[in-house]
Amino acid sequence: MMAHKQRVAYLDYLRLVAILGVITIHVATSLNFYRQDYASLNWQILNFWDGLSRFCVPVFIMISGAIFLNPDFDLSWEKLFKKHLRRIVVSYLIWQLIYCGWYYFAKEGDLVTVAKFLIGSYDHLWYLPMIAGLYLVTRFCGRWPEDGSCSNTTSCWPCSLPGFCRPAWT
């Protein structure tokens, strides 16, 4: 018999509030938000709700961190790739194709723009590759010291190296 996984109530409540925040952002910005006169009351109201809800993405990231960095959470490489990353990659590819088809047929886009979407990403899908990368970094930096004798500082420096080199690239 499989052990039933424990739910953490406060993380479920945070997830619910963050979901409502995402819905609020999408509703506020879909109501011609970017075409409104900035001085109008309508834009001020939409901007208020949009700004009030911007906490939601960092909350989702923190929820993932709270789960993945928990020492009791089984995060083997096999589980990471077969369960978590596979779901993300499959969802990303399916939605990328749906958005490309929608853009091409409903918006009468050109093939060059569709090809750019296929190579890059549709705007709303930025979260999926970002969270997949965080899962990989979390597994490497957050769990590696438990498997070996290196300290957290030693194991995380390769993950932070691109951040230190970034100013030199620009």
Side-chain angles (χ1 to χ4, degrees):
M1 187 170 155
M2 281 181 42
H4 189 270
K5 65 179 180 178
Q6 289 280 67
R7 300 217 42 112
V8 180
Y10 75 89
L11 292 179
D12 288 338
Y13 295 134
L14 278 173
R15 191 176 289 117
L16 175 65
V17 171
I19 288 169
L20 293 174
V22 168
I23 292 169
T24 303
I25 288 172
H26 284 92
V27 169
T29 58
S30 68
L31 299 173
N32 291 325
F33 179 74
Y34 299 104
R35 294 185 183 138
Q36 298 283 332
D37 177 25
Y38 296 135
S40 72
L41 178 62
N42 198 23
W43 186 86
Q44 297 293 333
I45 291 170
L46 293 174
N47 189 46
F48 170 79
W49 288 109
D50 177 62
L52 187 68
S53 303
R54 289 293 169 166
F55 70 90
C56 60
V57 172
V59 167
F60 278 122
I61 293 168
M62 288 185 272
I63 290 170
S64 295
I67 293 169
F68 274 55
L69 292 172
N70 182 348
D72 298 329
F73 183 71
D74 173 32
L75 187 61
S76 65
W77 284 106
E78 181 180 0
K79 184 177 179 184
L80 179 67
F81 280 100
K82 285 187 175 179
K83 182 179 180 188
H84 301 290
L85 291 178
R86 184 171 67 181
R87 286 181 185 172
I88 292 171
V89 169
V90 168
S91 299
Y92 178 77
L93 292 175
I94 289 171
W95 280 105
Q96 186 73 349
L97 290 173
I98 289 170
Y99 275 124
C100 285
W102 171 77
Y103 184 82
Y104 184 72
F105 293 112
K107 298 270 229 167
E108 298 178 5
D110 56 57
L111 287 177
V112 173
T113 305
V114 170
K116 287 179 184 176
F117 278 152
L118 286 174
I119 293 169
S121 180
Y122 189 75
D123 295 350
H124 284 77
L125 298 179
W126 69 269
Y127 185 83
L128 295 174
M130 183 270 310
I131 200 72
L134 284 177
Y135 285 1
L136 285 169
V137 168
T138 300
R139 174 60 178 106
F140 182 72
C141 290
R143 298 298 178 104
W144 185 38
E146 293 175 9
D147 302 333
S149 60
C150 297
S151 69
N152 272 337
T153 307
T154 306
S155 65
C156 285
W157 79 264
C159 298
S160 62
L161 190 59
F164 289 122
C165 296
R166 177 108 172 94
W169 296 339
T170 57

